[in-house]
Amino acid sequence: MRKVVCLIFVIMISCLNFSYVQAACSEEEIDALKKEAREIKITYEHLGVLEENGTEVYDKFLVVASNINDDFYIHLSPFATEDFVTEGETLKINLTTGTWHYLVYSSKCATQISDIEVNLPRFNIYSLDSLCEGIDGDDFSLCGKYYKYEVDYETFVERVTAYRTLNNIDNIEDSNDEENFLSDILNKVLDFISTYRIYILLSLGVILLIISIILITSKSRRRKVLK
């Protein structure tokens, strides 16, 4: 009886081991898989301003991995113990600013095929500040869309103000004040015309009538003189 129990136990262990062991690939097969993994293309798109739990967040990206072999699956690090299976040849995941590793595995081999590093930049919230209006972010990185360094607002104001002065960039507040002044005048003129349009039309009609009478009278006098 004891021998039968031991035999059953050995068979169970063997079956478990057999179910979890993947076939080993040759070096040639692994090289071929690595070549296919190099065809994987990863792009990302900043998702703009999002609201989470009543707070605005700016560090979210849609990351798209494409050209993925059907045999591959992805383990994302650092993220979770979960393996991501692709939809066709594409894998789409929302990730935050930072460094991520797409660890590529093949269902055929018990080994990692590739480690693709993806660096998602830090969004520069100062780029939305009115002080950056009129400044090329490629020329002055502190007003660029992405900026990796931590800068306090006081330092930001000092550096941007100095840059604006050095490059003779119009002051935003002065420019806005002038635009608002002109806009106010235009609105008042339009309001006046809208309120008194009947009187204005009558006045224009009278003026045109007077001008017409003067022209007709002038022509009549000239004809009499010529005769």
Side-chain angles (χ1 to χ4, degrees):
M1 181 67 179
R2 184 177 297 177
K3 290 182 179 180
V4 173
V5 172
C6 290
L7 180 61
I8 294 173
F9 181 78
V10 170
I11 293 173
M12 289 177 62
I13 294 296
S14 299
C15 290
L16 288 173
N17 287 337
F18 178 79
S19 63
Y20 283 97
V21 172
Q22 290 177 300
C25 292
S26 66
E27 291 186 6
E28 290 78 9
E29 289 175 315
I30 292 176
D31 288 340
L33 290 170
K34 287 183 177 180
K35 184 177 180 180
E36 291 180 5
R38 285 195 289 270
E39 297 298 320
I40 296 175
K41 181 180 179 182
I42 297 181
T43 59
Y44 58 81
E45 175 187 353
H46 186 245
L47 295 176
V49 184
L50 301 177
E51 186 171 322
E52 291 185 357
N53 300 321
T55 303
E56 291 183 344
V57 295
Y58 301 84
D59 62 349
K60 299 292 184 180
F61 293 82
L62 171 63
V63 185
V64 179
S66 55
N67 298 332
I68 303 175
N69 188 310
D70 291 339
D71 177 56
F72 290 153
Y73 61 91
I74 305 294
H75 179 83
L76 197 60
S77 175
F79 191 83
T81 56
E82 176 184 5
D83 293 325
F84 293 90
V85 180
T86 61
E87 298 178 2
E89 296 182 346
T90 304
L91 176 63
K92 298 180 179 180
I93 308 175
N94 287 346
L95 299 175
T96 57
T97 296
T99 300
W100 300 88
H101 291 268
Y102 279 66
L103 307 180
V104 182
Y105 292 86
S106 171
S107 58
K108 297 178 182 178
C109 308
T111 184
Q112 179 181 307
I113 302 301
S114 179
D115 178 355
I116 305 173
E117 183 176 290
V118 179
N119 294 299
L120 299 180
R122 178 178 176 272
F123 179 76
N124 179 21
I125 193 172
Y126 291 149
S127 65
L128 304 176
D129 196 285
S130 60
L131 281 174
C132 283
E133 289 183 25
I135 295 178
D136 185 351
D138 293 331
D139 188 50
F140 184 67
S141 59
L142 196 52
C143 281
K145 185 175 182 180
Y146 304 113
Y147 193 72
K148 63 181 179 179
Y149 303 106
E150 288 283 351
V151 177
D152 60 77
Y153 189 70
E154 183 179 352
T155 302
F156 163 75
V157 172
E158 290 177 357
R159 291 177 59 182
V160 175
T161 302
Y163 180 86
R164 300 186 73 89
T165 302
L166 181 64
N167 292 274
N168 298 317
I169 300 176
D170 293 335
N171 185 277
I172 295 298
E173 293 182 1
D174 292 343
S175 177
N176 289 338
D177 289 342
E178 184 178 351
E179 289 178 3
N180 292 335
F181 176 73
L182 294 174
S183 178
D184 288 341
I185 292 177
L186 179 60
N187 288 333
K188 288 179 180 178
V189 171
L190 293 175
D191 288 340
F192 178 83
I193 293 173
S194 177
T195 303
Y196 300 100
R197 61 182 179 276
I198 296 177
Y199 301 102
I200 293 172
L201 290 174
L202 288 174
S203 300
L204 289 173
V206 171
I207 292 171
L208 290 173
L209 180 60
I210 293 172
I211 292 173
S212 298
I213 293 171
I214 292 172
L215 290 174
I216 293 170
T217 304
S218 176
K219 286 181 180 181
S220 298
R221 288 178 180 176
R222 288 179 183 176
R223 288 175 182 173
K224 288 180 181 180
V225 170
L226 291 173
K227 287 180 179 180

